[in-house]
Amino acid sequence: MEEIVTKKKWWMGKVAYQIWPKSFADGNGDGIGDLYGIIDKLDYLKQLGVDIIWISPLYRSPLVDQGYDISDYYDINPLFGDLDTMDRLIAEAKKRNIYIVMDLVVNHCSDEHEWFKKAMADPDGEYGRYFYIAEKKDGKLPCNWRSYFGGSVWEPIPGTDKYYLHSFHKKQPDLNWENPKLRKEIYKMINWWLDRGIAGFRLDAIINIKKKLPFKDYEPDRDDGLANIGKMLEEAEGVGEYLEEMKHETFEKYDAFTVGEVFNDKESEIAEYIGENGHFSSKFDFGPELCGKKADWMDHEKVTAEMYKEAIFESQARTGSIGFLSNIIENHDEPRGVSRFIPAEDLCDTSKKALACAYFFLRGIPFIYQGQEIGMENCRFDSIDEYDDISTKEEYRVCLEMGCDEKKALELAYTFSRDNARTPVQWTGGSNAGFTTGTLWMKVNPDYKRINLESQRDNKDSVYNFYKKMISIYKEPKYHEILTFGEFIPYKRNQKNLISYFRQAENKKILVMVNFQKRPQCVEIPGMTGQIILDNTDRSMTDIIKAAGIDENRKNGINIELTGYEALVIELI
Ligand code: NOJ
Ligand code: CA
């Protein structure tokens, strides 16, 4: 047995899983996913090999932005359960050695939060200073920033000549982090949850907490005269001071795991964010998610295998061994990874496994989003009214405004909407895909008869069993060390549609090789041959070598032919 080096931090080498609670599993039959459903599925997640579960917001909320609009940080939304049930989840997870990570949404709260209500009643009072409230100057709003969900960031406060700022929806007023009192309130709340036994947080929109002040206009980038709020973020400096203060006042005391939703950090800032003493334990690698994205849906480019490869390789190269990225192919804000990164005509179990293999063994913490492990795909909706997501509706509106017809706009929604990842998890091929016995809050993807867990569980060739195997290899003591800490080294980076890399530690080398195209392609296995530890085609090394017509005893580089979307993980000897 190999020696396992003591881990530097408890969360390194763990496998994480994201739950978007409304669509995960309904435990009480009202058509909406909930804490009871999550508790019921803990054994399932354990069997899959999951160690950390990040749950998107469960707090009390009017759900305008599906929980990212919190009206009470100290309570659970009654739709999902209550605090006792949350405690039960934490306890049941602990029994199974699973860590619960919550979502921390502190750039903004809901306009139904009592702080905001008090601020509206007295904008010049104590709670007014919890938010950004300003007046027009010379008849002009304080700045021309466009909120993420469309329109100006400024919303009038009825009965006054004042406005409040919202970076997202108008029902999500931004909290004023310049105010030490507000910051203290936030830290108190964070510690209250950590005391309850959660293991950490995913930090929502966290870079937005620092604004570039005083407010000023930027060059408008559309006919609405507004400028993307991202322009302001590029100039805002000093967010690190808040992040450090928050870390010292909260996370650090509990050895908590934190993963930041960070989009716009600069290369020089990686260590500051996720280095040994960084602000967070980890941050998501959004490189692949940003692939091909432009300001509007209409301008987005199709993602090619080469674009995807360059995105992940670039992030790996930038990060090196400075820290741990959290690697994803999708989340609740993105379309399904398999629909985005695999051309529609090539979408099948083999290509889904190939994509899984390409990202899962990257250096960092692998995150799996609910349903990803069974290969869930984008979902078609027949009209914009069927969509739930506020951002989808806004993007759709912009498409129409820019001259797109409804059919085309709907097609774009099918490709890019966040609701693609928000349809209920397909547990069975039965009624409502086994998600609920009640009335669905959102439609199930009609493909559920073809794609569901029930049909995949006992099928050794299923996507689900591939994920299970991938996780068990990742955790195997022989490989765990190298797959956690081993260096990432690209292999044949210039070979088109080949995604291949080594994970390397002192005297061990693992080679991941994925032919990310339908056509076969030849590739050289470097040095001596090795042993296949994972594959998606069921060919043994002997088969592969034979097919290549090579003498099996040859000890230096051999050329093999990978079949379409073939993925191999090889332990090189
Ligand atoms: C990022 C979250 O993931 C997304 O769902 C939400 O709409 C925004 N932040 C605002 O909280
Ligand atoms: Ca329910």
Side-chain angles (χ1 to χ4, degrees), residues 163-202:
Y163 294 76
Y164 70 86
L165 179 137
H166 59 91
S167 298
F168 293 86
H169 192 263
K170 66 178 181 201
K171 282 182 71 65
Q172 294 169 296
D174 280 42
L175 291 163
N176 180 2
W177 275 71
E178 306 282 329
N179 180 352
K181 254 189 163 165
L182 176 273
R183 300 205 299 273
K184 238 177 152 180
E185 285 276 11
I186 300 286
Y187 306 153
K188 190 175 92 188
M189 177 274 290
I190 294 174
N191 290 334
W192 186 84
W193 278 107
L194 289 167
D195 282 333
R196 273 197 120 83
I198 64 161
F201 288 97
R202 172 265 188 184

Side-chain angles (χ1 to χ4, degrees), residues 344-567:
E345 61 280 13
D346 294 354
L347 199 51
C348 63
D349 284 0
T350 306
S351 57
K352 287 177 183 178
K353 292 175 197 172
L355 176 62
C357 204
Y359 102 97
F360 194 84
F361 295 106
L362 294 170
R363 193 176 186 282
I365 304 166
F367 269 69
I368 297 167
Y369 177 70
Q370 65 186 36
Q372 179 188 323
E373 74 277 23
I374 56 167
M376 281 179 67
E377 300 173 7
N378 280 2
C379 178
R380 263 187 205 284
F381 292 79
D382 299 325
S383 100
I384 189 64
D385 304 327
E386 264 195 283
Y387 282 95
D388 165 82
D389 171 35
I390 38 173
S391 131
T392 300
K393 291 181 196 273
E394 169 62 14
E395 295 280 1
Y396 180 87
R397 191 194 61 76
V398 171
C399 287
L400 296 186
E401 196 177 86
M402 292 174 86
C404 199
D405 65 28
E406 285 184 16
K407 195 165 165 248
K408 170 88 177 117
L410 210 56
E411 192 60 32
L412 289 167
Y414 168 59
T415 313
F416 299 117
S417 166
R418 309 201 292 185
D419 278 343
N420 282 305
R422 297 178 177 194
T423 59
V425 171
Q426 294 157 207
W427 297 102
T428 73
S431 160
N432 295 337
F435 166 75
T436 180
T437 50
T439 309
L440 290 166
W441 82 271
M442 176 186 244
K443 85 170 191 181
V444 162
N445 192 326
D447 68 13
Y448 74 94
K449 287 213 170 359
R450 182 171 57 87
I451 301 171
N452 63 73
L453 175 70
E454 190 182 38
S455 64
Q456 296 192 21
R457 244 186 155 145
D458 299 325
N459 172 359
K460 75 168 185 31
D461 294 327
S462 65
V463 174
Y464 164 74
N465 275 311
F466 188 81
Y467 266 89
K468 221 174 141 188
K469 183 138 185 240
M470 203 162 64
I471 298 172
S472 78
I473 283 165
Y474 186 72
K475 300 253 188 95
E476 215 172 285
K478 244 182 22 186
Y479 308 126
H480 198 205
E481 181 73 25
I482 181 171
L483 290 174
T484 306
F485 298 104
E487 212 182 323
F488 166 93
I489 303 170
Y491 180 60
K492 303 263 177 208
R493 186 170 181 163
N494 295 330
Q495 189 164 331
K496 203 165 162 220
N497 297 348
L498 176 79
I499 303 182
S500 184
Y501 55 85
F502 297 107
R503 296 300 309 279
Q504 181 171 319
E506 262 168 37
N507 45 15
K508 245 200 176 108
K509 243 184 184 182
I510 288 182
L511 175 64
V512 176
M513 262 185 166
V514 179
N515 175 23
F516 215 86
Q517 62 177 15
K518 210 184 204 141
R519 267 175 297 118
Q521 73 170 308
C522 283
V523 57
E524 185 193 331
I525 299 187
M528 293 177 233
T529 61
Q531 185 201 345
I532 297 180
I533 53 179
L534 181 70
D535 69 277
N536 64 348
T537 52
D538 253 357
R539 296 202 297 166
S540 69
M541 194 53 121
T542 313
D543 294 341
I544 292 172
I545 289 173
K546 244 192 216 146
I550 297 163
D551 173 4
E552 206 175 332
N553 297 320
R554 216 174 108 180
K555 286 277 183 263
N556 39 26
I558 58 168
N559 256 307
I560 63 167
E561 189 182 68
L562 297 176
T563 56
Y565 288 98
E566 182 159 15

Side-chain angles (χ1 to χ4, degrees), residues 65 68 105 108 149 168 172 202 204-205 261 332-333 418 422:
D65 187 19
Y68 286 92
V105 191
H108 46 270
F149 295 153
F168 293 86
Q172 294 169 296
R202 172 265 188 184
D204 183 73
E261 189 196 25
H332 65 293
D333 290 334
R418 309 201 292 185
R422 297 178 177 194

Side-chain angles (χ1 to χ4, degrees), residues 199-216:
F201 288 97
R202 172 265 188 184
L203 285 73
D204 183 73
I206 196 65
I207 302 308
N208 293 265
I209 63 176
K210 186 74 194 182
K211 318 292 190 242
K212 170 81 184 159
L213 297 176
F215 297 117
K216 64 165 190 187

